[in-house]
Amino acid sequence: MRVVLLTARRLFTATTPVLLEDQVLEIDESGRIASIRRRDDVGAAVDLVDLGDVTLLPGLIDIHQHLCFDATLDPVSQLQADDDAALLERMRGAARRALAVGITTIRDLGDRNYSSLALRDSIDTGAEVGPRILAAGPPITTPHGHCWFLGGEVEPGDVERAVRERVERGVDVVKIMASGGNMTPTVGPHESQFGREEIAVALREAHVAGLRLAVHAHGVGAVRDALAVGADSIEHCTLFTADGVADDPELLEQLAASQLVLSMTIAAVPGSEPPFPAIRQRIAAIRTNHQHLYQRGARVVCSSDAGVAPTKPHTVLPHGVVDTLPMLGMSNVEAITNVTAVAADACGIADRTGTLEVGKDADILAVSGDPIADLSALHDVVAVYARGRLAT
């Protein structure tokens, strides 16, 4: 890589709500930000990459995707039809599409045969340009439990061994299915699969290895268990009961006070309806709870669950920022910061990315116009840099 001097009319660092004007961002040979200076302070003879009437901001971070699913009505059948080579190539295409819309980091929370680790390693070595991938490998689930077809089935007494196996394989995060889900008819999303004791074991073993634990929890019982043990993130947090969604102000207060990461997989194609009846029938109640959580000061993060349905392609996160986060009460600055600085902190990578600061990786999204004034500018991508390498 060579040194690049990048400039545009506006710069949003995600460290403050202020837009800076006419700055020059220097990317060094290692793909990191070496300096940020006013354009007037840079010599006239210097060769600048001037993007014009554009805003530079940190690359977006989707903390919940599934690159192994193809975002069709039946992603499981395609997954089962693919051999590992075909699956890896399909995942590579999904990652590239996500990168093209400005998603420079993907936390992949469930694959088959650790395929996301292979893709991660290829990108990390520089063999190809792609988003940073934080890989969980096959999620830990019960026999014939949610997403059993990914290969992560274990008996409750084997959770400790399962976490250690993933650590040995080199995962970046551990994922456990505390409740059922919508893609697997064998266990309802409101039903618990693992109890509090098993989640606590998984959390302990993950922390021993210096990793974080992401707990899939639709059911209100699973959410309570994840909250009780202090899981690093609760994925979905939809608070399902057998016939609806829990309306429990005390639980919402407890979740907010805990400051656990609540990964709200709310990004979806605008105007679309979820194909899963349990979600479709309860979406209004889910959104009301998420709004109340945000208003109570909960540590919520917008994510997508990309890949599981046509409503959730791997490019969908910007729609969550533009169309959904303002409905929760976020300002435009808060919405952008939520999927950059806040998301990076939620994943434990705030020292590397999430903001545009000297010393951090040059994960940069350039969009036409001013997204602070109009969030829809996020859809008008001019350029994307992933760890200093131009991707689009």
Side-chain angles (χ1 to χ4, degrees):
M1 290 178 57
R2 63 182 180 84
V3 172
V4 174
L5 295 175
L6 187 63
T7 190
R9 182 174 175 184
R10 292 168 295 273
L11 174 71
F12 180 68
T13 66
T15 61
T16 75
V18 178
L19 271 177
L20 305 177
E21 294 191 354
D22 296 323
Q23 302 290 308
V24 175
L25 192 150
E26 179 184 2
I27 304 171
D28 67 20
E29 297 94 333
S30 69
R32 294 187 179 89
I33 299 172
S35 68
I36 300 175
R37 294 172 281 169
R38 285 189 53 80
R39 187 165 182 172
D40 292 344
D41 297 334
V42 176
V46 172
D47 186 17
L48 295 178
V49 178
D50 189 347
L51 297 179
D53 187 15
V54 160
T55 302
L56 305 178
L57 59 149
L60 310 183
I61 299 171
D62 193 340
I63 73 170
H64 191 135
Q65 281 208 16
H66 295 280
L67 293 169
C68 69
F69 294 140
D70 68 351
T72 63
L73 284 172
D74 189 9
V76 177
S77 290
Q78 183 62 60
L79 173 81
Q80 293 174 326
D82 285 342
D83 61 20
D84 285 352
L87 175 61
L88 181 59
E89 191 57 31
R90 189 158 52 73
M91 293 171 67
R92 176 173 285 112
R96 288 175 176 171
R97 290 191 296 275
L99 182 61
V101 300
I103 302 169
T104 55
T105 297
I106 292 171
R107 190 166 70 156
D108 187 294
L109 289 184
D111 69 14
R112 187 187 73 194
N113 291 345
Y114 297 91
S115 297
S116 58
L117 278 70
L119 181 58
R120 175 200 68 188
D121 294 346
S122 179
I123 294 169
D124 286 351
T125 60
E128 58 185 298
V129 179
R132 175 188 292 98
I133 294 175
L134 305 175
I140 299 170
T141 191
T142 53
H144 293 288
H146 183 47
C147 288
W148 61 268
F149 41 79
L150 294 177
E153 296 169 283
V154 300
E155 297 290 345
D158 288 333
V159 167
E160 179 179 310
R161 176 191 57 78
V163 175
R164 291 181 177 180
E165 174 189 327
R166 283 153 180 76
V167 171
E168 290 171 2
R169 293 294 295 264
V171 302
D172 302 293
V173 57
V174 177
K175 168 84 171 295
I176 188 169
M177 302 294 205
S179 78
N182 296 290
M183 296 179 70
T184 314
T186 49
V187 184
H190 66 284
E191 297 179 271
S192 292
Q193 297 192 153
F194 293 106
R196 192 168 300 183
E197 180 179 348
E198 289 81 27
I199 300 171
V201 168
L203 182 67
R204 182 195 69 212
E205 291 300 312
H207 283 188
V208 165
L211 302 178
R212 299 192 177 196
L213 179 71
V215 178
H216 163 104
H218 278 297
V220 66
V223 170
R224 289 186 185 278
D225 288 340
L227 172 64
V229 305
D232 296 302
S233 69
I234 302 177
E235 305 299 315
H236 309 297
C237 199
T238 48
L239 301 176
F240 277 13
T241 63
D243 56 2
V245 172
D247 179 14
D248 188 337
E250 183 179 356
L251 177 56
L252 297 181
E253 290 287 356
Q254 292 170 349
L255 286 165
S258 74
Q259 287 300 290
L260 300 182
V261 173
L262 307 180
S263 173
M264 303 184 303
T265 51
I266 54 177
V269 174
S272 63
E273 286 194 344
F276 308 114
I279 294 287
R280 188 167 58 247
Q281 296 162 6
R282 307 174 192 188
I283 190 68
I286 293 168
R287 286 177 176 169
T288 295
N289 274 344
H290 286 165
Q291 184 180 47
H292 289 168
L293 283 165
Y294 177 69
Q295 291 171 347
R296 286 169 166 80
R299 194 179 174 199
V300 299
V301 180
C302 177
S303 59
S304 71
D305 207 10
V308 302
T311 58
K312 292 178 174 290
H314 296 93
T315 56
V316 79
L317 183 67
H319 288 296
V321 183
V322 175
D323 301 307
T324 306
L325 291 184
M327 293 170 56
L328 301 185
M330 290 192 189
S331 68
N332 291 358
V333 166
E334 289 169 333
I336 295 172
T337 303
N338 187 263
V339 294
T340 54
V342 175
D345 184 63
C347 294
I349 55 172
D351 59 330
R352 288 180 274 164
T353 192
T355 58
L356 298 182
E357 297 181 85
V358 172
K360 292 192 176 182
D361 290 339
D363 294 330
I364 304 166
L365 168 59
V367 299
S368 292
D370 178 359
I372 302 304
D374 180 2
L375 279 176
S376 66
L378 291 177
H379 295 312
D380 194 355
V381 175
V382 173
V384 179
Y385 288 80
R387 285 178 274 190
R389 299 179 69 180
L390 180 62
T392 61

